[in-house]
């Protein structure tokens, strides 16, 4: 009985501790956030808190993506957003957002369009899935996938290029192997397998992944530090004896300081969040600290942690009683400076003590010897309070205050800048941003503006509208907002679900790879080799080039050719005295040839003067004088006849 009571007490204490830990974890914000890395064409973003009045905003690089953030691409837009080492890409005509995003897993809700997902090797307990009309697609990592959704309960397809996917339909799970695609009919009316087919969206995604395949910054920071992949292209790592490895940007503007080239946006649950305008300005402004080494600003990432903690902005807000006068502005002034490696970060949003410990685990307890404790105050930035939301470079004030007068203060409240309708706004909040079209709903024509320092009349009251918390979106985005019409970009498939037009059930085992078509080589007539000897010097039977190739001219000059000639008959020995050459009829002169020089005019030897018997020409033997032995023979025969 006592053992039972002790066991019951232990279980009760453990349950209370678990409940307490869960309540504390509920107070902690997410430890990771995503980043918009590419926004081409018509790409708009919805922030659950700042755009709750129904206005979509133009997306820009380094916009923060988290739970409650909606993304929309028009007919000529595409976007890429990254979360740690994982990449997500939306094609044209797509819309969706994250329902869950933390180190425990990510769940993306795709309302319509196409989503390409590239997953790296996961950490323990990490899972990624995509939902389409209540159907859950679980994606195993590492792998490459594409999910297509027709929207409004239409067809849906999951394509697995590498890895393995699972489709959860109630209590059942359907496995999709690598190289396969699974098509779900409306309302799960049909389930068909197909062969995995890549689109231009997948080719663009593969090219983007090749760009970051061999990033050297992964040697210094964790790949789960979102935005680390851009550091190699815009800066260099340098070792330092005091701080270790420090990253320095290559090109910055004159008078540049951290947290000065960008703007502040309100992102839930953190509040004021820094969005930098530099393409590399994500990881250095949400992780680590900044320090001055010599006359340069360098980013110190801190100690290496597999799962670093994300922060909205690692700055300290400052103020003072005479700060407005010292900066030369009569209204309220808001200032901030980058934190040094020995400065603790004190969040002003809801958190628990464990969160503060984790986010400050990479700092240095004491400043190095000789380093001024308030040296980073030199990088302080001041702006007028009503212009706090504006791009800082346009409204920054010159700081003439003594650094000792700066006092830590809380960040400004959310409503520091008044809100009024776009029709009353005479300023442009962003470059190339157009006014909403008249056909848009009234709720979509409301945006945030910045009042002039002396506003005589109060802004017109706004009509309350529904507030969006999680996808799907309440308000509709304005098509082609602030975007000039352009031809379709690569990676945009207008109707990916229309390919092929009819889905045939193909079992996975019967998938065969088509055989390549053999290449047919056309017959090319080759030219016949030409004789190298003049045709006039060859026998008649050999003058036809088809009878056989001519023999090359390898005889010495002046010697007649011997190609194909029959053997000459045996000749009797000549007398000691040679016959005169004048009585021999000369041979016809050969015609000149362009390739073989004619023989010299010297007479041929007497033994070879007679041509072969096979020639049709008359033998020149009749023109020669009879030889002495033949003449003597005739006289002897005549004398015998007379006798």
């Amino acid at each position: 009985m006592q053992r039972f009571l002790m066991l019951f007490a232990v279980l009760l204490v453990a349950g209370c501790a678990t409940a307490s830990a869960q309540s504390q974890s509920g107070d902690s914000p997410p430890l990771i956030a995503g980043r918009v890395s590419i926004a081409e064409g018509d790409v708009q973003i919805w922030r659950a808190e700042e755009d709750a009045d129904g206005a979509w905003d133009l997306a820009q690089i380094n916009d923060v993506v988290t739970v409650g953030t909606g993304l929309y691409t028009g007919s000529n837009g595409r976007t890429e957003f990254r979360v740690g080492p994982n990449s997500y890409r939306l094609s044209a005509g797509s819309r969706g957002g994250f329902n869950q995003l933390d180190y425990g897993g990510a769940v993306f809700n795709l309302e319509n369009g196409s989503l390409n997902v590239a997953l790296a090797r996961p950490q323990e307990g990490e899972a990624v899935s995509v939902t389409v009309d209540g159907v859950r697609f679980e994606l195993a990592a590492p792998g490459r996938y594409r999910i297509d959704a027709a929207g409004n309960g239409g067809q849906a397809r999951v394509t697995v290029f590498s890895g393995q996917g699972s489709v959860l339909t109630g209590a059942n799970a359907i496995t999709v192997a690598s190289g396969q695609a699974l098509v779900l009919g409306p309302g799960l009316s049909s389930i068909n397998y197909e062969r995995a087919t890549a689109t231009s969206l997948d080719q663009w995604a593969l090219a983007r992944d090749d760009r970051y395949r061999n990033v050297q910054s992964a040697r210094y920071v964790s790949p789960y530090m979102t935005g680390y992949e851009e550091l190699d292209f815009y800066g260099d790592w340098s070792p330092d004896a005091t701080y270790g490895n420090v990253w320095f940007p290559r090109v910055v503007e004159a008078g540049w300081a951290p947290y000065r080239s960008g703007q502040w946006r309100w992102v839930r649950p953190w509040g004021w969040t820094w969005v930098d305008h530099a393409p590399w300005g994500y990881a250095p402004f949400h992780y680590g600290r900044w320090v001055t080494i010599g006359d340069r600003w360098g980013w110190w990432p801190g100690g290496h942690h597999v799962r670093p903690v994300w922060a909205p902005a690692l700055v300290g807000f400052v103020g003072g009683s005479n700060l407005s006068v010292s900066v030369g502005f009569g209204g309220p002034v808001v200032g901030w400076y980058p934190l040094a490696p020995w400065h603790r970060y004190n969040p002003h949003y809801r958190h628990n003590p464990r969160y503060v410990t984790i986010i400050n685990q990479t700092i240095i307890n004491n400043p190095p010897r000789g380093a001024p404790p308030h040296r980073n105050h030199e990088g302080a930035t001041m702006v007028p309070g009503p212009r706090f939301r504006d791009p800082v470079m346009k409204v920054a004030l010159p700081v003439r205050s003594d650094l000792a007068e700066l006092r830590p203060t809380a960040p400004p409240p959310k409503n520091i800048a008044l809100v009024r309708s776009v029709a009353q706004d005479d300023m442009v909040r962003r470059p190339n941003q157009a006014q909403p079209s008249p056909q848009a709903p009234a709720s979509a024509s409301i945006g945030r503006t910045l009042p002039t320092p002396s506003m005589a009349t109060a802004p017109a009251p706004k009509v309350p509208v529904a507030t969006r918390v999680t996808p799907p979106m309440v308000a509709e985005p304005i098509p082609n907002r602030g975007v000039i019409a352009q031809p379709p970009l690569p990676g945009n498939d207008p109707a990916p679900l229309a390919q092929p037009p009819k889905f045939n059930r193909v079992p996975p085992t019967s998938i065969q790879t088509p055989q390549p078509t053999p290449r047919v080589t056309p017959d090319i007539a080759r030219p016949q080799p030409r004789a190298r000897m003049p045709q006039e010097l060859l026998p008649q039977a050999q003058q036809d080039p088809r009878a056989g190739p001519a023999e090359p001219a390898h005889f010495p000059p002046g010697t007649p050719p011997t190609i194909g000639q029959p053997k000459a008959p045996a000749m009797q020995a000549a007398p000691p005295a040679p016959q005169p050459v004048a009585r021999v009829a000369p041979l016809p002169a050969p015609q000149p040839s362009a390739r073989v020089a004619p023989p010299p005019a010297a007479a041929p030897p007497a033994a070879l003067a007679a041509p072969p018997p096979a020639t049709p020409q008359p033998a020149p033997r009749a023109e020669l004088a009879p030889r002495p032995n033949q003449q003597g023979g005739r006289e002897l025969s005549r004398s015998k006849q007379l006798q």
Side-chain angles (χ1 to χ4, degrees), residues 10-269:
V10 170
L11 293 177
L12 181 62
V13 172
C16 295
T18 303
S20 176
Q22 292 178 354
S23 63
Q24 290 182 2
S25 61
D27 296 338
S28 176
L31 304 182
I32 193 173
R35 162 188 180 252
V36 175
S37 53
I38 284 184
E40 297 180 353
D42 185 11
V43 181
Q44 302 181 31
I45 188 172
W46 174 295
R47 302 173 187 85
E49 199 71 23
E50 185 174 287
D51 299 324
D53 51 6
W56 286 74
D57 202 358
L58 296 180
Q60 64 182 22
I61 295 179
N62 296 329
D63 265 333
V64 179
V65 178
T66 183
V67 176
T69 302
L71 291 169
Y72 163 83
T73 57
S75 59
N76 62 340
R78 65 181 179 183
T79 182
E80 175 191 82
F81 47 100
R82 301 177 64 93
V83 182
N86 302 328
S87 303
Y88 302 81
R89 299 171 179 95
L90 285 174
S91 67
S94 304
R95 187 167 71 172
F98 281 102
N99 287 338
Q100 177 187 352
L101 184 59
D102 51 33
Y103 278 124
V107 179
F108 188 89
N109 180 34
L110 180 63
E111 297 184 14
N112 60 273
S114 299
L115 172 69
N116 180 282
V117 183
L119 302 179
R121 189 171 302 277
Q123 296 294 328
E124 183 179 359
E126 183 180 1
V128 178
S129 60
V130 179
T131 59
V132 177
D133 293 328
V135 180
R136 189 184 186 97
F137 301 92
E138 292 187 350
L139 310 178
R144 295 175 50 246
Y145 308 88
R146 189 188 76 247
I147 296 90
D148 304 319
N152 300 324
Q155 288 183 343
R157 178 195 288 120
V158 55
T159 305
V160 181
F161 299 104
S162 63
Q164 180 176 328
S166 300
V167 182
L168 303 181
T169 58
N172 301 324
I174 305 175
T175 302
V176 186
S178 177
Q180 296 180 351
L182 185 66
V183 181
L184 305 178
L188 301 179
S189 59
S190 62
I191 299 177
N192 298 322
Y193 280 94
E194 290 182 350
R195 184 182 297 110
T197 304
T199 62
S200 54
L201 172 66
D202 306 315
Q203 297 173 359
W204 174 60
L206 188 61
R208 290 285 301 171
D209 292 335
D210 291 340
R211 169 183 171 89
Y212 304 115
R213 193 172 302 278
N214 298 319
V215 175
Q216 298 298 322
S217 294
R219 301 167 50 189
Y220 306 97
V221 297
S222 170
Y224 281 85
M225 184 176 290
T226 305
Y228 82 99
E229 66 277 355
E230 299 291 348
L231 299 180
D232 283 13
F233 304 99
Y234 299 97
D236 303 286
W237 291 90
S238 178
D240 184 77
T242 303
Y243 305 100
N245 294 316
V246 181
W247 181 84
F248 295 92
R250 295 194 187 104
V251 180
V252 293
E253 300 176 356
W256 180 89
Y259 301 95
R260 187 171 293 177
S261 177
Q263 64 184 119
W264 294 95
R265 309 306 298 261
W266 186 275
V267 180
R268 198 182 59 176

Side-chain angles (χ1 to χ4, degrees), residues 499-524:
Q499 304 172 3
K502 182 179 180 180
F503 302 111
N504 298 324
R505 183 179 182 85
V506 180
T509 57
S510 63
I511 297 178
Q512 299 179 359
T513 304
Q515 298 295 334
T517 305
R519 184 178 179 181
V520 179
T521 304
D523 296 335
I524 302 175

